[in-house]
């Protein structure tokens, strides 16, 4: 039997809607109840739809068994009804019970996520948190699903408040809900999220809620501890796992191993690996990957290669991820030939390079080889069917910013968007860093505002970039204010944030403020890395407090970190600066017993210290011992000894070393010539000084640079009296020489090494290097055209 046709609203309906609301509700319900309900048939009724009718339809028992119809009607209403009706959370809350009743949790969550993302006033959250003890059974699925939706939308703190309501009402959440919330909290970039995650765990396992955790729950909490560098707490959780009825698994151990390796705490990582094996857990592929990554991060490439050999012995063949990590390690060390050899090895094993392989090599070429080679690789990857991704564009943007080509970097951002990739935090941080280096702080802050507009929050990288620039400009009060404001706004501050400002205070001779900031960092349980320890040790040594620096070294060792060459060399140099050369040697000998491998910087620091204290014979003995053992020496080594010999008037010995220096192709450089010329002039041997300098010019050693005036020679002689300053000058001269030879990459590498050792470089050297790089870029540009 055919149903009678339904009529459109009459004039009476429009003039007196109150009297017809039940009739209209019945009409719309019948329309939606039809087997092939057409939503277009609802259009004539739009003007008469009120919120009570809309809510009644969405919560109708007659339509409750038609979830797909209700979903379609809800979406139709959002598109056709006034915003005043659809922007309220009430229609959604009316629809959800029907979806939950028919187990349509996925659809319900999808609607919640969609609403939350546009709900800037958090109206839904306010409705959910309203006191309502009715129908607890109906509340449970709503609250469970809301927690997951808020976490998915990146708002775990709001989800935690929903969880608190469940606790107050005694409604037991699902284990999946609890794990989702804990996961969202530990991964959220906020300083109090992890403590909140621990509170959620206490509440879920309390007698009120009684949710039994699983291994995933504990692993998430362990991950949170590792993010905060609370390794003891992480290990305590490992011990507690058995109390909850399960044992730690590979994920448990790998989480802690990864965090330890990232912090360079390899001794603790080895102990944990041994504990893992003792408990019958065999390392899996991920375990080996973590170790390879850890060794590569420290530059221990031989050890990383041995791990890969160990993998093979345990029938775990290295995959593309393993090779990519090792290639990255060699690229970071500037060993591009070895990196390309590994790529060939991959291809021989039928492992085709992917976008990560290419991105790593492209970045390596930009850093160490040439931009032309890098762009060749970009073309090659396209030819081989490997599509560039956001990282590829970010690598190119980074190079342009490094070269000071901000306009080119901005154009690359445009190309990135044309390729379908939105600029991310890395893109903006790179641009901000570029503007900071160029002194465009206004533009840097504008980029930060643009980040916020795009919904990209400032992270620790952005913060540290701005801090570094402010400290470089000696705006330390502004830097400290930024540090505090970021902390109050809930951003993660890391050891780099504090280390940057600590370095700034030391450079500004504010050692007390630097040490107070160090204590503040420790109070906030931000565990320093080896780099941050080196910062504080260097600062104390430069402040003439090497003994206090030793205390920091002991603290470093107790924390499980491994000191590196920079740590040891800094302390040795500190003793030498204070004139305590004997203590420097005692410390050196003790550290050698503890596996410290002295390098050429160690040798030069000790030689400078000995010569400064007038211990030339001991310096010569060290020099000859070093050479007899076949260890590396450089121009600074020779210049230091030649300077000492000239001071003692031992010119014949100095000239012998000069010849030896030439044979080894280590010089002489301008600094060597200035040492000898200045010393001959000071003892009145003017004619010999002139003949020597003329010979140097004729042989091209000075490349026709004008001879220094008597006044300049006097200044140089005074500089040489401070032997550490002499080392700085020598490094500057050596960088100049590399620039003269057009070896700008080598010059840049030496600048990095020099500054890492705490030495300063003449401003004129920086100017010369920058000038050379500019000319080189122009010549490359012309050649390309």
């Amino acid at each position: 039997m055919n149903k009678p046709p339904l009529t459109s609203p009459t004039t009476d309906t429009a003039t007196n809607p109150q009297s017809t609301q039940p009739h209209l509700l019945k009409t719309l319900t019948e329309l939606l109840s039809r087997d092939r309900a057409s939503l277009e048939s609802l259009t004539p009724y739009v003007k008469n739809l009120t919120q009570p009718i809309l809510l009644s339809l969405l919560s109708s028992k007659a339509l409750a068994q038609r979830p797909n119809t209700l979903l379609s009607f809800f979406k139709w209403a959002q598109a056709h009804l006034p915003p005043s009706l659809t922007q309220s959370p009430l229609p959604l809350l009316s629809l959800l019970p029907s979806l939950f009743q028919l187990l349509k949790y996925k659809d319900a969550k999808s609607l919640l996520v969609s609403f939350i993302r546009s709900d800037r006033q958090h109206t839904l959250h306010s409705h959910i948190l309203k006191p309502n003890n009715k129908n607890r059974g109906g509340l449970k699925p709503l609250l469970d699903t809301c927690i997951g939706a808020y976490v998915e939308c990146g708002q775990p703190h709001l989800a935690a408040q929903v969880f608190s309501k469940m606790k107050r009402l005694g409604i037991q959440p699902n284990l999946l809900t609890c794990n989702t919330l804990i996961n969202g909290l530990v991964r959220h970039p906020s300083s109090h999220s992890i403590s909140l995650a621990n509170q959620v765990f206490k509440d879920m396992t309390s007698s009120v809620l009684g949710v039994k955790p699983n291994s995933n729950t504990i692993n998430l909490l362990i991950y949170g501890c590792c993010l905060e560098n609370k390794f003891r707490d992480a290990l305590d959780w490992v011990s507690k796992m058995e109390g909850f009825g399960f044992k730690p698994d590979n994920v448990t151990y790998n989480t802690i191993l990864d965090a330890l390796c990232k912090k360079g705490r390899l001794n603790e990582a080895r102990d944990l690996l041994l504990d893992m094996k003792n408990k019958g857990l065999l390392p899996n592929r991920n375990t080996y990957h973590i170790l390879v990554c850890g060794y590569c991060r420290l530059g221990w490439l031989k050890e990383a290669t041995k791990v890969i050999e160990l993998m093979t012995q345990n029938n775990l063949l290295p995959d593309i991820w393993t090779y990519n990590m090792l290639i990255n390690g060699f690229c970071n060390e500037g060993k591009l030939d070895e990196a390309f050899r590994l790529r060939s090895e991959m291809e021989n094993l039928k492992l085709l390079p992917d976008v990560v392989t290419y991105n790593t090599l492209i970045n390596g070429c930009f850093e160490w080889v040439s931009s032309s080679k890098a762009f060749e690789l970009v073309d090659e990857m396209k030819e081989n069917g490997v599509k560039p991704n956001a990282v590829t564009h970010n690598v190119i943007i980074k190079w342009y910013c490094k070269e000071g080509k901000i306009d080119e970097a901005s154009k690359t951002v445009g190309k990135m968007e044309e390729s379908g990739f939105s600029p991310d935090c890395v893109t903006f941080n790179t641009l901000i860093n570029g503007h900071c280096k160029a002194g465009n702080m206004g533009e840097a802050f504008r980029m930060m505002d643009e980040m916020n507009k795009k919904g990209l929050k400032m992270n620790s990288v952005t913060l540290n970039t701005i801090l570094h620039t402010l400290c470089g400009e000696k705006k330390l009060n502004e830097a400290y204010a930024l540090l505090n404001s970021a902390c109050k706004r809930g951003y993660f501050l890391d050891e780099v944030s504090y280390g940057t400002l600590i370095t700034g205070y030391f450079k500004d001779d504010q050692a007390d403020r630097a040490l107070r900031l160090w204590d503040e960092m420790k109070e906030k349980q931000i565990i320093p890395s080896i780099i941050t320890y080196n910062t504080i040790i260097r600062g104390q040594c430069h402040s003439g407090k090497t003994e206090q620096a030793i205390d920091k070294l002991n603290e470093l060792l107790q924390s499980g970190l491994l000191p590196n060459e920079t740590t040891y060399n800094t302390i040795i140099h500190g003793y030498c600066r204070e004139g305590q050369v004997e203590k420097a040697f005692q410390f050196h000998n003790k550290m050698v017993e503890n596996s410290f491998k002295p390098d050429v910087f160690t040798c030069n620091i000790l030689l400078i210290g000995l010569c400064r204290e007038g211990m030339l014979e001991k310096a010569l003995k060290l020099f000859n011992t070093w050479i007899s053992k076949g260890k590396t020496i450089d121009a600074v080594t020779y210049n230091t000894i030649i300077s000492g010999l000239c001071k003692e008037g031992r010119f014949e010995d100095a000239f012998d070393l000069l010849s030896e220096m030439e044979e080894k192709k280590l010089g002489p450089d301008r600094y060597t010539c200035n040492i000898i010329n200045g010393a001959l002039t000071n003892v009145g041997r003017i004619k010999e000084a002139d003949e020597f300098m003329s010979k140097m010019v004729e042989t091209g050693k000075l490349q026709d640079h004008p001879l220094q005036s008597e006044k300049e020679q006097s200044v140089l002689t005074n500089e040489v009296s401070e032997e550490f300053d002499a080392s700085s000058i020598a490094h500057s001269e050596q960088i100049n020489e590399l620039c003269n030879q057009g070896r700008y990459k080598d010059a840049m590498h030496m600048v990095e090494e020099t500054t890492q050792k705490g030495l300063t470089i003449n401003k004129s050297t920086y100017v010369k290097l920058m000038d050379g790089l500019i000319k080189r870029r122009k010549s490359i540009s012309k050649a390309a055209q």
Side-chain angles (χ1 to χ4, degrees), residues 305-479:
T305 306
K306 287 178 183 176
V307 172
I308 292 177
E309 292 173 2
L310 192 61
M311 282 181 72
T312 308
Q313 290 171 13
N314 289 323
N315 297 320
L316 286 171
L317 292 175
D319 57 14
I320 193 164
W321 193 98
T322 322
Y323 274 104
N324 283 342
M325 184 51 61
L326 201 51
I327 287 171
N328 185 59
F330 280 109
C331 285
N332 287 339
E333 294 295 310
K335 298 178 180 179
L336 270 294
D337 289 341
E338 192 65 22
F340 278 101
R341 184 194 66 76
L342 282 170
R343 185 182 73 159
S344 300
E345 188 177 300
M346 279 175 63
E347 291 170 340
N348 292 336
L349 292 172
K350 307 300 181 185
L351 291 172
L352 295 178
D354 61 4
V355 67
V356 177
T357 319
Y358 276 107
N359 288 343
T360 305
L361 291 170
I362 290 166
N363 187 59
C365 288
F366 275 134
E367 292 289 330
W368 301 99
V369 184
S370 68
S371 57
S372 58
K373 178 64 177 174
F375 284 115
E376 282 177 19
L377 283 171
V378 174
D379 293 335
E380 180 188 309
M381 69 186 291
K382 292 176 183 176
E383 290 170 6
N384 291 338
V386 180
K387 292 183 179 180
N389 61 6
V391 176
T392 320
H393 290 93
N394 284 336
V395 167
I396 297 170
I397 291 166
K398 184 181 79 170
W399 180 76
Y400 279 131
C401 287
K402 188 177 179 181
E403 295 291 302
K405 299 180 177 180
I406 305 296
D407 290 341
E408 292 295 326
S410 299
K411 288 178 184 176
T412 306
V413 174
K415 292 177 183 177
M416 180 179 183
E417 291 176 316
E418 288 171 9
S419 301
F421 298 104
S422 298
D424 54 17
C425 285
V426 175
T427 317
F428 278 101
N429 287 337
T430 304
L431 291 169
I432 288 168
N433 187 43
H435 286 300
C436 286
K437 286 183 176 178
N440 303 327
M441 289 302 293
E443 191 63 20
F445 283 111
R446 190 189 70 77
M447 296 299 294
M448 286 176 63
D449 292 338
E450 192 173 332
M451 278 182 78
N452 285 326
K453 287 177 184 176
K454 291 182 178 288
L456 298 169
K457 287 190 175 182
M458 179 181 76
N459 58 20
S460 59
V461 178
T462 321
L463 173 68
N464 295 338
T465 299
I466 302 292
L467 283 173
H468 180 77
T469 303
L470 291 173
C471 289
E473 296 178 356
K474 293 188 178 296
K475 296 178 179 177
L476 299 176
N477 290 336
E478 290 180 40

Side-chain angles (χ1 to χ4, degrees), residues 53-67:
I53 292 177
L54 177 62
L55 300 184
S56 296
L57 284 169
L58 291 170
S59 59
S60 168
K61 291 183 180 180
L63 297 173
Q65 299 303 313
R66 295 174 173 269

Side-chain angles (χ1 to χ4, degrees), residues 52 80 95 98 225 299 305 322 469 537 588 688 694 720 766:
H80 293 82
L95 168 65
S98 298
C225 292
T305 306
T322 322
T469 303
I537 287 170
H588 165 272
E688 289 179 65
S694 297
V720 173
Y766 277 117

